[in-house]
Amino acid sequence: MPDNVLVVAEHRDGTLKKVTFEMLGEGTRIAARLGGVVEAALLGSGVGGLADVLAHYGAARVYLADDPSLEAYSSEGYTAVLARLIQKAEPAVVLLGATTQGKDLAPRVAARLGLGLASDCTAFEVTAEGRLMITRPVYAGRAIATVVEKTTPQMATVRPNVLVPLEPDTSRAAPVEKLAVESGDIRARVIDLIQESGRQQGLPSLAEAEIIVSGGRGLKGPENFRLLEELADVLGAAVGASRAAVDAGWIDHSHQVGQTGKTVTPSLYIACGISGAVQHLAGMKTARYIVAINKDPDAPIFSVADYGIVGDLFEVVPVLIEEFKKVLRGKGASKCQTSR
Ligand SMILES: Cc1cc2nc3c(=O)[nH]c(=O)nc-3n(C[C@H](O)[C@H](O)[C@H](O)COP(=O)(O)OP(=O)(O)OC[C@H]3O[C@@H](n4cnc5c(N)ncnc54)[C@H](O)[C@@H]3O)c2cc1C
């Protein structure tokens, strides 16, 4: 039986999501221990061009299901294609992103094939017997479980922004194997996708953002997130939050950064009125640059910050907005650019 790792690629608007590269990197490391290779499953419509990118990031083979019926994600269609592929390719391990799509798709495929599934995993080790020891936070992050699945292939969803991708190598190529798509697989049709109203319209998603402006209890109320959104808009950033702000009902849980929220690795993380509890740091401390704005000079966030501003965020943030506007206008750019 092949000892390969199958990574289910995820993409939006013609671009592969970061978690796909992270899974290919980890998949390559796992496959090397198992004596196999990492392969990618690419499902969608008009997505064949992404196969090259998957190869650059480590895929040794790409299984391509390219069909108009797969243009929008459909639980039925994607489950049918992926389940058939797993039965045909017989990988030892299957990895999907712990994203909205992956969280829907992975359990459906696992149930259809009678497989176990470890969800929202953060680390993998391979035992001498070739089984995966999978690390995943449980009980809202209060404990860490190590899981070994009994069924094969071993399936897992992977928390975004935790694992490390390979350096892309544009000389790397991979054969593309086309998969048949059966029209009877899909009974429900997606008619339209409507963007979440209110906050964050037009701004990048938290998991993918290069810049994040995050707010905590120091914001004092939901209405003050407007200030952070204004700064985020100037910088082309996403808005994050601490659990205190989320628990207070000031902002949706999808914005929470930390142990029981999202793990993020932006180039720049601006923490406003956030004390820096370990559970918050767990989700953002690998950001390349951390800027903290806090009126308490002893706040723990300053111990991880590259730049600290001791002051009242309601005075500091408006000044930053004006100054960034001037600088970016001077550069003839409307949004801030960062490089990693
Ligand atoms: C199992 C578990 C999981 C958890 N998971 C998470 C998680 O995923 N994410 C998370 O964030 N937390 C998490 N927490 C909660 C965490 O322990 C903290 O309680 C939380 O992060 C505190 O949020 P905060 O920094 O916004 O609030 P606080 O700790 O109250 O800090 C507010 C800060 O704002 C500053 N401030 C106040 N007014 C101003 C002002 N005008 N200008 C500037 N600064 C000001 C204060 O000096 C203070 O430092 C978890 C806890 C547990 C037990």
Side-chain angles (χ1 to χ4, degrees):
M1 187 180 282
D3 286 323
N4 298 335
V5 176
L6 180 68
V7 165
V8 181
E10 203 173 312
H11 51 87
R12 177 167 292 180
D13 300 330
T15 308
L16 288 161
K17 288 197 165 186
K18 243 163 79 181
V19 69
T20 301
F21 305 134
E22 293 158 7
M23 289 190 290
L24 285 171
E26 188 65 17
T28 303
R29 287 180 277 273
I30 296 170
R33 289 288 318 274
L34 295 176
V37 294
V38 65
E39 302 179 316
L42 179 57
L43 285 66
S45 177
V47 291
L50 297 176
D52 284 347
V53 187
L54 292 169
H56 300 164
Y57 280 87
R61 173 183 301 275
V62 178
Y63 295 103
L64 174 65
D66 199 338
D67 190 88
S69 66
L70 300 177
E71 180 165 8
Y73 171 70
S74 112
S75 307
E76 289 174 312
Y78 277 53
T79 300
V81 172
L82 192 56
R84 277 199 293 271
L85 170 59
I86 292 170
Q87 284 172 320
K88 173 178 125 87
E90 298 185 334
V93 174
V94 180
L95 301 179
L96 298 93
T99 56
T100 308
Q101 179 177 310
K103 286 176 187 172
D104 183 72
L105 180 56
R108 287 172 189 274
V109 173
R112 184 162 299 190
L113 299 178
L115 300 173
L117 172 67
S119 56
D120 204 19
C121 305
T122 53
F124 298 87
E125 268 182 52
V126 182
T127 66
E129 296 76 40
R131 303 303 295 177
L132 282 186
M133 291 221 304
I134 303 172
T135 302
R136 54 184 299 263
V138 290
Y139 302 121
R142 285 181 177 80
I144 301 290
T146 305
V147 180
V148 179
E149 292 172 22
K150 289 183 176 168
T151 48
T152 303
Q154 302 163 85
M155 267 187 93
T157 61
V158 173
R159 184 178 284 200
N161 292 314
V162 174
L163 303 173
V164 183
L166 301 179
E167 280 300 317
D169 176 354
T170 50
S171 67
R172 225 169 0 217
V176 176
E177 190 172 319
K178 293 204 172 142
L179 303 176
V181 179
E182 293 172 17
S183 55
D185 287 340
I186 303 175
R187 289 171 299 171
R189 196 162 55 89
V190 177
I191 297 167
D192 199 6
L193 291 173
I194 300 165
Q195 196 176 1
E196 181 191 2
S197 62
R199 296 181 201 285
Q200 288 256 265
Q201 281 213 336
L203 296 179
S205 78
L206 199 57
E208 306 277 313
E210 279 295 295
I211 306 176
I212 294 172
V213 178
S214 222
R217 204 186 324 253
L219 275 175
K220 305 204 185 327
E223 65 286 357
N224 294 325
F225 266 95
R226 283 282 339 133
L227 189 62
L228 297 199
E229 284 165 11
E230 207 183 326
L231 178 57
D233 191 42
V234 173
L235 296 173
V239 174
S242 73
R243 178 160 159 180
V246 171
D247 284 354
W250 299 348
I251 188 164
D252 188 74
H253 178 261
S254 59
H255 296 264
Q256 185 178 315
V257 173
Q259 193 177 312
T260 42
K262 293 202 165 72
T263 304
V264 295
T265 52
S267 295
L268 175 61
Y269 188 89
I270 306 179
C272 308
I274 294 177
S275 60
V278 282
Q279 295 90 352
H280 188 80
L281 301 185
M284 45 62 76
K285 63 176 183 244
T286 53
R288 184 160 184 201
Y289 293 108
I290 297 171
V291 175
I293 304 166
N294 198 303
K295 65 180 187 185
D296 174 6
D298 297 322
I301 190 79
F302 288 125
S303 66
V304 295
D306 298 283
Y307 299 94
I309 303 175
V310 179
D312 186 334
L313 72 92
F314 296 105
E315 292 169 17
V316 175
V317 173
V319 174
L320 287 181
I321 292 171
E322 286 317 306
E323 291 303 313
F324 278 128
K325 274 185 185 164
K326 278 189 218 157
V327 172
L328 294 169
R329 208 178 295 136
K331 281 186 169 173
S334 59
K335 302 283 184 211
C336 186
Q337 301 277 321
T338 58
S339 58
R340 303 194 68 132

